[in-house]
Amino acid sequence: MGETRLTTNSNVTGEKYGYFLGCVMPAKMPWAEKATFLVANKLGLNWDYMKETLCCVRPGVWKTLDPDTWLTMTGQNLALAEKQGVTLVDSCNGCWISHYEALEELKDEPEKMEMVKEHLRKANMDFQGTVKVKHFLQVLYEDVGIEKIKANITNPLTNVRVMRHVGCHGRKLGDDVLPRYFDEILKATGVQLVNTPYDSMCCGLLVYFSDPKIAIYRNVFKKFKFAQDLAVDGIVVICSGCYDQFDRGVKVLQEEGDPTGEITEFDIPVLHFSEILALAMGYKPEDFGMDVFRTVSPTKLISKIKEGK
Amino acid sequence: MATQVKVSRRLRYPVTVPAINEKVTENVIIHDPSLCTGCMQCMIGCAYSHYKTYDLNYSLLYVNEDPAKLGSWVNANCSHCVSPMCLASCPALAIYKDDLGIVRISALTCIGCGICAQACPIAIPRPDTLKKIYVKCDMCNGEYPNCVKMCSTNALRLMHREEAFKFVNTMRGV
Amino acid sequence: MSTDKHPKSWDKLIDGGKKNTTHKIEEEIEIYPWRKSFMSTAPDVAKPSLKRDFELGLVYPITEQVMGARKACHLDPMPPTAHKFPEMADKKRAILDDMGTGKKLAFDTKKRVYDY
């Protein structure tokens, strides 16, 4: 596993990154998309959209239904990245695991690779399997390096308290990889991290199709109850899938009320990792439309940041 | 069926007891609670591969929140024991070990009494209300189990039996 | 928990799945009570999103409202995904047809309904 990750900072400038948007990011969190671009440009990365992308092929659904279809359709995205000559970068854990696992599986099993190639050839696409897949956190921590990020932070958010949520698929390589990068980069921005016992709990997106009550009243509610009790300024996520689920869960909880009757208002915003980074790098909330198109608007946080200045 | 029947003579009334076939599966499914996030993807994968539904009630392995530790999860999955309690307890002799060492419940001979679930230390067999029999993990017929394939964090792993024994012991601090 | 009913968004998904299926399982159970109930490959909840996979190539559509929000965030109103390049979704559909995935899921790709 370790071989596919870069450990040196040498080829920072040379690598061309293609940012894979996925389904949720463009349709539900445009502010995160903008913030990611601001951060990447500030850090001097060769950063652009990966174009013509499709759904990553949700592993939770398609892998159960038909693993071969999952591999082929993921192969289509990988082939596109290869054609465009970019390193595929995902910030959504779901997209990342889909691409990463499919690539690993295709490399391990030549028969599957042949099958995928065969199907893609029929659609006039060529696939060799030479593409690289990286998580946004890997790009930041391994390629850019924590020192460079620290050097770019001009406005440390020392008065902001946040809860964090890495997400299940982010833990695939172990707690020492993506979760550690997530924590260290967040600490570099100066925010105070609040620990709760439910930090590692799943957002509930994966179980939502089978039992929405567990997904919302157990997973989302428990997290937000802690957030509400501790009066944090937000829950920071990296995964768009987790944002989607939290957003949906909060909508349901706002509509139908707290099942235990203790909490009357759900007003903790869900923030994207890039937003925190962009704010700490000196961008204003208006630069990426922080309060646009959200279920819970982070007005309190915005005023706090402005007062802090 | 691999079971031969012998009669225990020490009891007051002779009871048939299935002889234990010592063959075991090469690998077992191991759960690492420190990595588990309670996403229940394993249960969904299991329910789908056996029943073509996402309903968690159809799953053959179980994830529950650990009552002793908040935000921690316990997973109950069949380890296809060397001498299975379910097999020993079955009054209809419906439980047997197949050639691979997988402990199975025969759908034809099971009478749905539920003794196996009571005998099993972690209550793995569950009632199938439609067929009115008990069902349990069949290790996906010796293929790579779907629950392990679906696990989103590598908390469920397929391990060699001896390795798994050592792993569990170190995890328990023995 | 305290409420017995499912959240509205979930009911909407189930309804969406049922609406897109020609085979009405509830009615059939009444007509043929002894017939063994049939489980389709795609569960009802997953049907709407799988259908969008065939139609759009992605899960969420870009509506007027989303375009407005994207403009407010200083972004191009149309993201450079399959929303902007529908020919990629066509390719995906061709691949899916070629693999026979529609047939496996009992999805009629021409009529855009689940039919089995």
XYZ file of all heavy atoms in Angstrom, chain A residues 51-121:
566
model
N -11.952 17.145 -16.109
C -13.165 17.427 -16.891
C -13.907 16.157 -17.277
O -13.364 15.069 -17.225
C -12.804 18.239 -18.131
C -12.342 19.631 -17.763
C -12.059 20.476 -18.968
C -11.499 21.810 -18.538
N -10.151 21.702 -17.980
N -15.167 16.355 -17.657
C -16.039 15.288 -18.183
C -16.245 14.154 -17.190
O -16.457 13.017 -17.571
C -15.459 14.723 -19.490
C -15.169 15.758 -20.551
C -14.542 15.158 -21.775
O -13.946 14.081 -21.672
O -14.662 15.766 -22.842
N -16.170 14.446 -15.905
C -16.264 13.370 -14.919
C -17.703 12.901 -14.735
O -18.650 13.649 -14.914
C -15.737 13.833 -13.558
O -16.415 15.030 -13.205
C -14.269 14.063 -13.587
N -17.785 11.651 -14.335
C -19.081 11.049 -14.034
C -19.123 10.783 -12.536
O -18.197 11.136 -11.821
C -19.213 9.742 -14.812
C -19.259 9.930 -16.323
C -18.681 8.728 -17.004
C -20.675 10.177 -16.773
N -20.191 10.120 -12.113
C -20.239 9.701 -10.712
C -19.092 8.718 -10.479
O -18.738 7.937 -11.360
C -21.573 9.032 -10.433
S -21.696 8.333 -8.808
N -18.496 8.766 -9.272
C -17.382 7.874 -8.964
C -17.825 6.428 -8.971
O -17.027 5.525 -8.847
C -16.828 8.207 -7.590
S -17.961 7.812 -6.249
N -19.110 6.217 -9.077
C -19.789 4.939 -8.919
C -19.751 4.555 -7.444
O -18.829 3.902 -6.993
C -19.167 3.825 -9.766
C -20.133 2.684 -9.851
C -18.852 4.334 -11.157
N -20.748 5.018 -6.766
C -20.838 4.835 -5.325
C -20.520 3.396 -4.922
O -21.253 2.475 -5.243
C -22.257 5.199 -4.875
C -22.669 6.534 -5.385
C -24.073 6.915 -5.028
N -25.093 6.139 -5.702
C -25.294 6.130 -7.002
N -24.505 6.815 -7.799
N -26.255 5.439 -7.533
N -19.400 3.203 -4.211
C -18.993 1.829 -3.891
C -20.029 1.110 -3.025
O -20.241 -0.077 -3.172
C -17.666 2.010 -3.163
C -17.613 3.424 -2.738
C -18.467 4.200 -3.682
N -20.670 1.856 -2.136
C -21.639 1.236 -1.225
C -22.794 0.598 -1.956
O -23.335 -0.414 -1.535
N -23.190 1.196 -3.076
C -24.347 0.673 -3.802
C -23.909 -0.306 -4.889
O -24.326 -1.451 -4.924
C -25.151 1.825 -4.431
C -26.309 1.285 -5.229
C -25.654 2.757 -3.351
N -23.004 0.169 -5.756
C -22.676 -0.647 -6.926
C -21.840 -1.866 -6.586
O -21.893 -2.875 -7.264
C -21.955 0.195 -7.973
C -22.915 0.978 -8.809
C -23.198 2.301 -8.700
C -23.758 0.482 -9.860
N -24.147 2.667 -9.613
C -24.513 1.571 -10.335
C -23.951 -0.762 -10.432
C -25.431 1.446 -11.374
C -24.868 -0.885 -11.455
C -25.602 0.209 -11.918
N -21.021 -1.756 -5.533
C -20.191 -2.902 -5.191
C -21.043 -4.057 -4.693
O -20.718 -5.216 -4.928
C -19.192 -2.503 -4.118
C -17.804 -3.030 -4.380
C -16.833 -2.301 -3.509
C -15.847 -3.221 -2.866
N -15.001 -2.516 -1.920
N -22.140 -3.753 -4.023
C -23.031 -4.840 -3.619
C -23.791 -5.363 -4.826
O -23.947 -6.566 -4.980
C -24.049 -4.386 -2.562
O -24.584 -3.130 -2.934
C -23.448 -4.309 -1.198
N -24.280 -4.446 -5.660
C -25.116 -4.869 -6.775
C -24.335 -5.711 -7.779
O -24.753 -6.800 -8.135
C -25.691 -3.643 -7.503
C -26.784 -2.871 -6.795
C -27.156 -1.658 -7.614
C -28.008 -3.732 -6.574
N -23.226 -5.165 -8.244
C -22.486 -5.849 -9.288
C -21.042 -5.353 -9.321
O -20.762 -4.298 -9.881
C -23.186 -5.597 -10.632
C -22.569 -6.438 -11.736
O -21.686 -7.255 -11.410
O -22.955 -6.281 -12.892
N -20.109 -6.098 -8.745
C -18.724 -5.630 -8.662
C -18.078 -5.367 -10.026
O -17.275 -4.450 -10.149
C -17.996 -6.770 -7.947
C -19.040 -7.552 -7.275
C -20.291 -7.383 -8.060
N -18.467 -6.135 -11.050
C -17.855 -5.940 -12.366
C -18.258 -4.599 -12.961
O -17.440 -3.890 -13.559
C -18.253 -7.077 -13.315
C -17.496 -8.350 -13.001
O -16.598 -8.271 -12.143
O -17.800 -9.389 -13.597
N -19.531 -4.250 -12.798
C -19.997 -2.954 -13.294
C -19.292 -1.830 -12.557
O -18.886 -0.838 -13.151
C -21.516 -2.822 -13.071
O -22.141 -3.986 -13.542
C -22.064 -1.613 -13.786
N -19.131 -2.017 -11.256
C -18.431 -1.012 -10.443
C -17.027 -0.786 -10.977
O -16.594 0.356 -11.175
C -18.405 -1.483 -8.985
C -17.514 -0.692 -8.100
C -17.691 0.599 -7.709
C -16.285 -1.140 -7.503
N -16.658 0.990 -6.906
C -15.788 -0.042 -6.762
C -15.579 -2.321 -7.515
C -14.587 -0.134 -6.044
C -14.402 -2.409 -6.809
C -13.918 -1.331 -6.085
N -16.324 -1.885 -11.269
C -14.950 -1.772 -11.767
C -14.903 -1.080 -13.123
O -14.075 -0.197 -13.350
C -14.328 -3.166 -11.911
C -13.644 -3.750 -10.688
C -13.161 -5.146 -11.000
C -12.475 -2.897 -10.267
N -15.823 -1.448 -14.000
C -15.788 -0.884 -15.350
C -16.098 0.603 -15.334
O -15.430 1.394 -15.992
C -16.800 -1.613 -16.247
O -16.648 -2.999 -16.050
C -16.579 -1.279 -17.697
N -17.120 0.973 -14.566
C -17.512 2.385 -14.569
C -16.476 3.240 -13.863
O -16.232 4.383 -14.249
C -18.891 2.540 -13.945
C -19.932 1.809 -14.742
S -21.574 2.440 -14.605
C -21.963 2.163 -12.929
N -15.827 2.693 -12.830
C -14.724 3.425 -12.208
C -13.569 3.521 -13.189
O -12.913 4.557 -13.274
C -14.277 2.716 -10.920
O -15.428 2.376 -10.177
C -13.415 3.616 -10.076
N -13.388 2.431 -13.948
C -12.357 2.422 -14.971
C -12.552 3.524 -15.993
O -11.586 4.087 -16.509
N -13.814 3.871 -16.263
C -14.091 4.952 -17.208
C -13.516 6.276 -16.694
O -12.876 7.016 -17.439
C -15.597 5.068 -17.413
C -15.964 5.896 -18.621
C -17.459 6.070 -18.765
O -18.242 5.468 -18.048
N -17.845 6.908 -19.708
N -13.728 6.552 -15.410
C -13.171 7.776 -14.822
C -11.647 7.747 -14.815
O -11.002 8.754 -15.106
C -13.675 7.948 -13.383
C -15.046 8.583 -13.340
O -15.374 9.397 -14.196
N -15.836 8.212 -12.356
N -11.090 6.589 -14.490
C -9.638 6.467 -14.446
C -9.049 6.658 -15.846
O -8.020 7.317 -16.017
C -9.228 5.100 -13.890
C -9.605 4.826 -12.432
C -9.304 3.386 -12.065
C -8.841 5.749 -11.497
N -9.742 6.113 -16.848
C -9.276 6.258 -18.225
C -9.311 7.727 -18.642
O -8.429 8.198 -19.354
C -10.140 5.416 -19.151
N -10.353 8.450 -18.192
C -10.453 9.876 -18.508
C -9.274 10.647 -17.930
O -8.680 11.489 -18.601
C -11.751 10.444 -17.932
C -13.008 10.260 -18.763
C -14.213 10.697 -17.968
C -12.900 11.084 -20.027
N -8.945 10.336 -16.662
C -7.825 11.020 -16.002
C -6.529 10.734 -16.746
O -5.685 11.608 -16.926
C -7.716 10.569 -14.557
N -6.411 9.481 -17.195
C -5.212 9.080 -17.917
C -5.092 9.844 -19.232
O -4.023 10.326 -19.601
C -5.315 7.583 -18.205
C -4.004 6.871 -18.292
C -4.247 5.385 -18.362
O -4.544 4.872 -19.448
O -4.165 4.730 -17.309
N -6.242 9.993 -19.909
C -6.273 10.686 -21.191
C -5.902 12.162 -21.001
O -5.195 12.750 -21.807
C -7.673 10.560 -21.781
C -7.772 10.957 -23.243
C -9.207 10.778 -23.723
C -9.613 11.889 -24.663
N -11.076 12.033 -24.687
N -6.401 12.744 -19.912
C -6.127 14.162 -19.669
C -4.741 14.382 -19.056
O -4.335 15.519 -18.849
C -7.209 14.751 -18.769
C -8.566 14.824 -19.442
C -9.708 15.105 -18.490
O -9.491 15.550 -17.370
N -10.923 14.840 -18.922
N -4.068 13.282 -18.737
C -2.706 13.381 -18.224
C -2.605 14.028 -16.858
O -1.680 14.789 -16.587
N -3.551 13.737 -15.993
C -3.531 14.346 -14.661
C -3.495 13.275 -13.574
O -3.827 12.124 -13.828
C -4.777 15.236 -14.423
C -4.725 16.461 -15.293
C -6.060 14.464 -14.663
N -3.067 13.691 -12.396
C -3.212 12.828 -11.225
C -4.602 13.075 -10.675
O -4.972 14.210 -10.393
C -2.175 13.200 -10.157
O -0.892 13.005 -10.708
C -2.335 12.345 -8.916
N -5.366 12.019 -10.527
C -6.745 12.176 -10.072
C -6.752 12.501 -8.573
O -6.211 11.737 -7.781
C -7.490 10.873 -10.355
C -8.987 10.900 -10.550
C -9.439 9.617 -11.198
C -9.742 11.113 -9.296
N -7.340 13.630 -8.203
C -7.410 14.004 -6.790
C -8.868 14.049 -6.349
O -9.686 14.713 -6.962
C -6.760 15.384 -6.538
C -6.794 15.720 -5.068
C -5.351 15.415 -7.042
N -9.180 13.328 -5.283
C -10.524 13.344 -4.718
C -10.460 13.986 -3.355
O -9.517 13.750 -2.602
C -11.039 11.914 -4.515
C -11.053 11.133 -5.803
O -11.830 11.489 -6.668
O -10.290 10.163 -5.907
N -11.477 14.778 -3.022
C -11.553 15.184 -1.620
C -12.665 14.422 -0.925
O -12.726 14.379 0.293
C -11.733 16.690 -1.483
O -13.034 17.051 -1.836
N -13.552 13.803 -1.695
C -14.598 12.970 -1.092
C -14.015 11.583 -0.841
O -13.412 10.988 -1.726
C -15.789 12.882 -2.033
S -17.021 11.694 -1.564
N -14.179 11.103 0.397
C -13.626 9.787 0.724
C -14.244 8.686 -0.117
O -13.581 7.726 -0.477
C -13.907 9.446 2.188
C -13.152 10.326 3.129
O -12.169 10.930 2.752
N -13.620 10.404 4.358
N -15.538 8.831 -0.398
C -16.234 7.806 -1.170
C -15.645 7.691 -2.557
O -15.380 6.592 -3.048
N -15.439 8.854 -3.206
C -14.857 8.844 -4.551
C -13.450 8.276 -4.486
O -13.054 7.473 -5.320
C -14.797 10.255 -5.125
S -16.371 11.065 -5.251
N -12.717 8.716 -3.481
C -11.322 8.276 -3.370
C -11.239 6.765 -3.214
O -10.453 6.103 -3.900
C -10.647 8.971 -2.178
C -9.269 8.451 -1.912
C -8.160 8.686 -2.663
C -8.864 7.596 -0.850
N -7.081 8.030 -2.125
C -7.485 7.360 -1.019
C -9.528 7.018 0.225
C -6.770 6.554 -0.145
C -8.816 6.217 1.092
C -7.445 5.991 0.906
N -12.061 6.201 -2.323
C -11.967 4.760 -2.085
C -12.384 4.001 -3.332
O -11.821 2.965 -3.657
C -12.787 4.323 -0.841
C -12.275 3.004 -0.287
C -14.257 4.180 -1.115
C -11.007 3.116 0.446
N -13.354 4.547 -4.047
C -13.814 3.895 -5.263
C -12.672 3.816 -6.277
O -12.381 2.755 -6.824
C -14.974 4.686 -5.843
O -15.737 3.899 -6.694
N -12.006 4.973 -6.495
C -10.921 4.989 -7.476
C -9.716 4.194 -6.988
O -9.127 3.423 -7.717
C -10.508 6.439 -7.771
C -11.597 7.220 -8.410
N -11.902 8.515 -8.066
C -12.504 6.867 -9.346
C -12.915 8.926 -8.784
N -13.307 7.949 -9.560
N -9.362 4.404 -5.724
C -8.172 3.761 -5.169
C -8.323 2.239 -5.182
O -7.445 1.520 -5.661
C -7.973 4.275 -3.741
C -6.816 3.664 -3.003
C -5.529 4.132 -3.192
C -7.022 2.608 -2.118
C -4.469 3.565 -2.520
C -5.978 2.043 -1.439
C -4.708 2.515 -1.643
O -3.654 1.950 -0.984
N -9.448 1.768 -4.684
C -9.643 0.314 -4.588
C -9.768 -0.324 -5.958
O -9.235 -1.408 -6.189
C -10.893 0.001 -3.762
C -10.613 0.016 -2.297
C -11.677 -0.728 -1.515
O -12.812 -0.839 -2.009
O -11.375 -1.158 -0.401
N -10.480 0.364 -6.856
C -10.634 -0.192 -8.197
C -9.272 -0.308 -8.875
O -8.964 -1.317 -9.499
C -11.565 0.673 -9.026
N -8.446 0.728 -8.713
C -7.123 0.715 -9.334
C -6.270 -0.410 -8.758
O -5.607 -1.147 -9.494
C -6.451 2.069 -9.120
C -5.247 2.373 -9.995
C -5.645 2.358 -11.454
C -4.646 3.716 -9.645
N -6.323 -0.565 -7.424
C -5.550 -1.642 -6.786
C -6.012 -3.007 -7.294
O -5.206 -3.874 -7.597
C -5.735 -1.592 -5.263
C -5.176 -0.357 -4.606
C -3.678 -0.453 -4.380
O -3.253 -1.407 -3.720
O -2.959 0.424 -4.882
N -7.344 -3.140 -7.369
C -7.898 -4.431 -7.768
C -7.547 -4.741 -9.218
O -7.208 -5.871 -9.557
C -9.415 -4.414 -7.569
C -10.005 -5.810 -7.536
C -11.444 -5.818 -7.070
O -11.817 -4.968 -6.238
O -12.186 -6.677 -7.560
N -7.610 -3.701 -10.067
C -7.281 -3.918 -11.476
C -5.808 -4.270 -11.652
O -5.454 -5.081 -12.504
C -7.614 -2.673 -12.291
C -9.094 -2.387 -12.496
C -9.305 -1.080 -13.218
C -9.775 -3.512 -13.262
N -4.954 -3.661 -10.837
C -3.540 -3.985 -10.932
C -3.268 -5.406 -10.473
O -2.415 -6.101 -11.007
C -2.721 -3.009 -10.087
C -2.433 -1.702 -10.821
C -1.667 -0.764 -9.922
C -1.519 0.603 -10.556
N -1.072 1.610 -9.591
N -4.011 -5.834 -9.437
C -3.794 -7.175 -8.898
C -4.346 -8.271 -9.800
O -3.813 -9.371 -9.840
C -4.445 -7.303 -7.510
C -3.648 -6.579 -6.450
O -2.536 -6.137 -6.784
O -4.122 -6.450 -5.313
N -5.453 -7.982 -10.454
C -6.119 -9.047 -11.203
C -6.150 -8.741 -12.691
O -6.994 -7.991 -13.168
C -7.537 -9.239 -10.670
C -7.543 -9.763 -9.256
C -8.934 -9.948 -8.714
O -9.811 -10.384 -9.470
O -9.128 -9.646 -7.533
N -5.222 -9.339 -13.449
C -5.147 -9.052 -14.890
C -6.418 -9.422 -15.655
O -6.742 -8.788 -16.648
C -3.970 -9.918 -15.357
C -3.261 -10.339 -14.133
C -4.207 -10.287 -13.009
N -7.133 -10.438 -15.170
C -8.364 -10.841 -15.875
C -9.390 -9.724 -15.855
O -10.023 -9.403 -16.851
C -8.975 -12.083 -15.217
C -8.177 -13.332 -15.450
C -8.595 -14.433 -14.495
O -9.743 -14.367 -13.978
O -7.780 -15.338 -14.259
N -9.544 -9.128 -14.669
C -10.508 -8.025 -14.520
C -10.074 -6.851 -15.385
O -10.891 -6.176 -16.006
C -10.591 -7.585 -13.052
C -11.073 -8.663 -12.124
C -12.567 -8.563 -11.930
C -13.022 -9.662 -10.993
N -14.455 -9.870 -11.011
N -8.763 -6.611 -15.413
C -8.212 -5.514 -16.203
C -8.573 -5.709 -17.667
O -9.011 -4.772 -18.337
C -6.693 -5.506 -16.017
C -6.002 -4.346 -16.635
S -6.303 -2.875 -15.676
C -5.030 -1.821 -16.287
N -8.448 -6.944 -18.143
C -8.772 -7.240 -19.533
C -10.241 -6.957 -19.809
O -10.611 -6.378 -20.823
C -8.440 -8.704 -19.859
C -7.028 -8.910 -20.360
C -6.664 -7.940 -21.473
O -7.381 -7.898 -22.484
O -5.661 -7.210 -21.313
N -11.086 -7.372 -18.843
C -12.526 -7.176 -19.007
C -12.858 -5.691 -19.121
O -13.597 -5.259 -19.995
C -13.250 -7.797 -17.803
C -14.740 -7.688 -17.868
S -15.475 -7.693 -16.234
C -14.967 -6.109 -15.604
N -12.250 -4.907 -18.200
C -12.507 -3.471 -18.196
C -12.008 -2.834 -19.493
O -12.710 -2.053 -20.135
C -11.842 -2.809 -16.963
C -11.896 -1.297 -17.063
C -12.516 -3.267 -15.697
N -10.802 -3.233 -19.906
C -10.238 -2.679 -21.142
C -11.138 -2.988 -22.324
O -11.377 -2.144 -23.182
C -8.856 -3.294 -21.387
C -7.732 -2.561 -20.689
C -6.418 -3.192 -21.099
C -5.272 -2.600 -20.328
N -4.028 -3.299 -20.583
N -11.626 -4.223 -22.348
C -12.479 -4.670 -23.448
C -13.724 -3.791 -23.558
O -14.073 -3.290 -24.624
C -12.865 -6.135 -23.180
C -13.661 -6.800 -24.272
C -12.869 -6.883 -25.571
O -11.664 -7.168 -25.496
O -13.454 -6.650 -26.642
N -14.359 -3.569 -22.414
C -15.586 -2.769 -22.421
C -15.300 -1.321 -22.788
O -16.085 -0.692 -23.489
C -16.272 -2.841 -21.057
C -16.976 -4.133 -20.833
N -18.031 -4.533 -21.607
C -16.774 -5.117 -19.929
C -18.445 -5.724 -21.199
N -17.693 -6.104 -20.181
N -14.190 -0.791 -22.295
C -13.871 0.608 -22.579
C -13.467 0.783 -24.048
O -13.737 1.824 -24.644
C -12.745 1.102 -21.664
C -13.112 1.268 -20.194
C -11.913 1.740 -19.401
C -14.262 2.239 -19.999
N -12.828 -0.247 -24.621
C -12.429 -0.161 -26.027
C -13.644 -0.003 -26.919
O -13.623 0.707 -27.906
C -11.631 -1.415 -26.406
C -10.574 -1.132 -27.468
C -9.702 -2.350 -27.682
N -8.849 -2.642 -26.544
C -8.658 -3.854 -26.029
N -9.284 -4.888 -26.526
N -7.847 -4.039 -25.017
